[in-house]
Amino acid sequence: KIIFTIILLLLIASSAEAASVFIEAPEEVSAGETFPITIFADVDNISINSTSAVIDFDEDAALFPGYAPDGLISLWVNRPEGVGGRVSFEGVIPGGISGVYDPKSAGLSPIPLVKLLFTAQSGGTASFSIRESLILKNDGKGSSLYHSFGKNVEVAIEAGESRALADSNPPAPFEIEVIESSIFSRTPTL
């Protein structure tokens, strides 16, 4: 009975460690270029509905200008915010999700939670790591999903000219027109 209990506990512990949160990023960017890093959750087919995380990064290598609306978090408790070399966020996925259907694989793919944008500084290496992460199951109880963190991710930054494009042309000529108030609007509109 003792051996059976130990084996059962080991099986439960090994299956609980299958869930993970990890970062995907480009391998190389140019100084001045804005690039994405995506935070993924592989939840081992368990339905989740909310998450929060803190991502560490080196402010000398990259700046955090914001995030893209590409992730699956659709209701923000705290939108991604960068302060002192850390980006933190909290959000909800209404209705829950256990993965993303991928026709190329035999099952569900990891969930792209959020796409964070960074601007590369001078040449070198930018490091990104998950400092904290919380995932709640979609079980009506707010149960935490035990999960591991992926390894640190490094992005090589090439010194030299930026690949980012800038618009240096002036705008086309235009006139400002005032539309007086009407029955649909009580205030004038420019």
Side-chain angles (χ1 to χ4, degrees):
K1 289 182 180 183
I2 294 173
I3 293 174
F4 176 74
T5 304
I6 291 172
I7 291 172
L8 182 62
L9 290 174
L10 289 173
L11 286 173
I12 291 170
S14 67
S15 67
E17 293 182 25
S20 65
V21 175
F22 60 94
I23 298 171
E24 279 191 6
E27 291 181 13
E28 183 178 288
V29 296
S30 294
E33 180 179 352
T34 297
F35 62 95
I37 71 162
T38 304
I39 312 302
F40 282 92
D42 186 347
V43 295
D44 197 30
N45 293 326
I46 296 170
S47 183
I48 65 164
N49 65 6
S50 58
T51 184
S52 65
V54 177
I55 311 301
D56 283 344
F57 68 98
D58 182 1
E59 284 185 301
D60 294 333
L63 299 175
F64 174 69
Y67 67 99
D70 297 357
L72 289 182
I73 296 174
S74 60
L75 182 61
W76 291 104
V77 177
N78 290 312
R79 294 182 187 278
E81 180 180 6
V83 177
R86 288 193 177 141
V87 175
S88 60
F89 62 87
E90 295 177 278
V92 177
I93 303 168
I97 189 169
S98 57
V100 177
Y101 175 71
D102 182 1
K104 296 177 188 172
S105 69
L108 296 176
S109 295
I111 302 162
L113 297 172
V114 64
K115 185 181 284 188
L116 304 174
L117 302 175
F118 290 88
T119 301
Q121 299 303 298
S122 58
T125 302
S127 295
F128 301 91
S129 61
I130 300 169
R131 180 181 191 81
E132 300 171 19
S133 174
L134 174 67
I135 298 175
L136 300 182
K137 296 178 185 178
N138 187 30
D139 62 0
K141 300 174 189 174
S143 305
S144 293
L145 175 64
Y146 178 78
H147 60 281
S148 62
F149 299 167
K151 61 182 179 177
N152 295 354
V153 172
E154 293 188 345
V155 177
I157 302 172
E158 292 273 324
E161 285 189 38
S162 169
R163 287 189 235 160
L165 301 176
D167 182 3
S168 59
N169 297 326
F174 63 95
E175 291 183 28
I176 298 176
E177 181 181 345
V178 177
I179 301 171
E180 295 299 326
S181 60
S182 68
I183 60 171
F184 299 110
S185 173
R186 294 172 40 173
T187 57
T189 304
L190 290 179

